[in-house]
Amino acid sequence: MVTLKSLDRTLSLAHNLAMRHGTFIVIDGIGGCGKTTHAKLLHARMRKGTVLTHEPGGTPLAEKIRKLILHNLIPTADVTTEFFLFWTARAEHMREKIAPALRAGRHVICDRFDSSTFAFQIFGEKHPELTKLFWEARKVVLGKYEPDAYIILDIPVAVAEKRRAGRPPRKDRFDDNPRAFQGRVRAGFKTFAEEIGQCAHIVNANRAPKEVEQDILRIVSNY
Ligand code: TMP
């Protein structure tokens, strides 16, 4: 029998289910595309309480994994080991930081995310056999907290290289890779965007920062 009380509970549950979580935006692209700058600019435009985070990293443990990978601290690591390390760091990042923020109704902007694993490890490093595993890992690690939008900043490899050359030197083994590698990564981001469908947006980043920013704001305002 449907009592007033049970009806009330059902309605309240339905309301909770329908309540929107925060919006999850990823900004990604090859090194030198301007993603970190644009993630910061977007963050400054979003409402108070919006979380700005990055990958690999975002939590103390994930930052340790970042160091292990980017500073080559596991000399015997191959692409498969790195692939799992990126997913380990991401699982931690999701559970500890991203999912709780979204649940609390806060928006999250993430500088790099799983789109980078797809582009760098599968395309850049030429390991297509990891593709199936990628989509499986994604299901388990992201669960219902898939990003609402991926903004991929696209730029020719030579232009990105010039921009990177103007930065202070830093130790990142992926940025040091040759042009052919960066070209494969760029293609990887495009393939990822095709696979992901509607929520992926490729933005031409080979323009003045103001124009790129306007495109990003236009995309984000739709969410
Ligand atoms: P960042 O310092 O530009 O944020 O990124 C660190 C490096 O890590 C960058 O060269 C890309 C690489 N990377 C991967 O290879 N796979 C991944 O899944 C992520 C998140 C980053």
Side-chain angles (χ1 to χ4, degrees), residues 35 66 70 86 90 112 117 120-121 170 172 174:
K35 63 182 177 47
R66 177 186 177 98
L70 298 189
F86 279 119
R90 186 162 302 127
R112 293 203 187 282
T117 308
F120 281 84
Q121 278 62 57
R170 60 168 208 171
D172 173 349
F174 295 101

Side-chain angles (χ1 to χ4, degrees), residues 27-36 111-112 115-116 119-120 151-161 163-164 167 170 174-175 179 181-190 205:
I27 302 195
D28 214 336
I30 62 172
C33 69
K35 63 182 177 47
T36 304
D111 176 346
R112 293 203 187 282
S115 30
S116 273
F120 281 84
I151 296 172
I152 307 292
L153 300 187
D154 184 53
I155 191 165
V157 170
V159 180
E161 211 171 68
R163 287 191 185 176
R164 287 202 306 273
R167 291 177 183 168
R170 60 168 208 171
F174 295 101
D175 273 355
R179 263 192 200 179
F181 176 91
Q182 303 295 342
R184 290 196 297 276
V185 173
R186 185 184 182 201
F189 278 118
K190 287 186 181 162

Side-chain angles (χ1 to χ4, degrees), residues 17-29:
L17 280 174
M19 236 172 65
R20 272 192 62 75
H21 288 140
T23 302
F24 184 9
I25 311 275
V26 171
I27 302 195
D28 214 336

